[in-house]
């Protein structure tokens, strides 16, 4: 067996360090009349952290005239934040069923009784 390379990546020494927490709008900023989604809507959203901004692939759970509550997975953990509505854009989910039905439509159908009679 070979020796361990010195330049190989290793995980951080202090995994107990807290993860960055996203900024969330205050109640005054987001406004009143919150509308809750029955089914969360897929969105792209820009989320602000203390030292950086990141675009996340998440879901809009609630919204007001000015803000949207976005939830997403961050390092395997559930995260959520209220962000300005202008920082959110709709995104389309991959429609597995639509692709599957498209493949089925292209498959040859069953042999009709007329073509079966011709072959005899």
């Amino acid at each position: 067996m070979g020796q361990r390379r010195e330049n190989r990546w290793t995980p951080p020494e202090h995994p107990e360090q807290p993860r960055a927490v996203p900024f969330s709008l205050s109640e005054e900023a987001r406004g009143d009349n919150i509308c809750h989604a029955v089914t969360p809507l897929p969105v792209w959203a820009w989320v602000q952290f203390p030292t950086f901004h990141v675009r996340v692939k998440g879901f809009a759970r609630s919204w007001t005239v000015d803000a949207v509550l976005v939830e997403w997975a961050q390092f395997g953990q559930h995260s959520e934040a209220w962000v300005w509505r202008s920082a959110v854009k709709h995104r389309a989910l991959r429609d597995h069923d639509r692709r599957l039905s498209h493949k089925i439509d292209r498959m040859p159908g069953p042999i009709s009784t007329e073509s079966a009679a011709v072959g005899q």
Side-chain angles (χ1 to χ4, degrees):
M1 286 275 155
Q3 295 179 348
R4 182 178 171 95
R5 294 189 321 227
E6 290 181 19
N7 62 351
R8 179 179 278 174
W9 180 85
T10 57
E13 299 263 338
H14 305 286
E16 67 274 357
Q17 287 184 346
R19 301 279 184 194
V21 177
F23 288 126
S24 189
L25 297 174
S26 66
E27 289 183 36
E28 292 175 352
R30 67 177 176 240
D32 295 331
N33 298 329
I34 297 173
C35 181
H36 302 286
V38 174
T39 303
L41 303 171
V43 296
W44 287 105
W46 283 100
V47 179
Q48 183 179 357
F49 287 84
T51 57
F52 60 94
H53 293 76
V54 66
R55 188 176 186 208
V56 298
K57 184 194 261 189
F59 292 90
R61 270 198 5 222
S62 303
W63 54 85
T64 65
V65 173
D66 297 321
V68 179
L69 176 61
V70 178
E71 66 178 5
W72 71 97
Q74 174 186 356
F75 307 112
Q77 302 281 330
H78 174 266
S79 295
E80 65 180 24
W82 280 95
V83 298
W84 293 115
R85 188 175 208 130
S86 60
V88 179
K89 294 198 185 229
H90 291 276
R91 70 178 170 90
L93 291 176
R94 292 185 190 171
D95 191 2
H96 178 70
D97 296 333
R98 189 181 77 212
R99 287 185 291 148
L100 184 59
S101 67
H102 178 66
K103 288 180 182 177
I104 291 172
D105 290 342
R106 293 188 315 178
M107 294 175 66
I111 300 174
S112 66
T113 55
E114 291 177 13
S115 61
V118 173
Q120 289 181 350

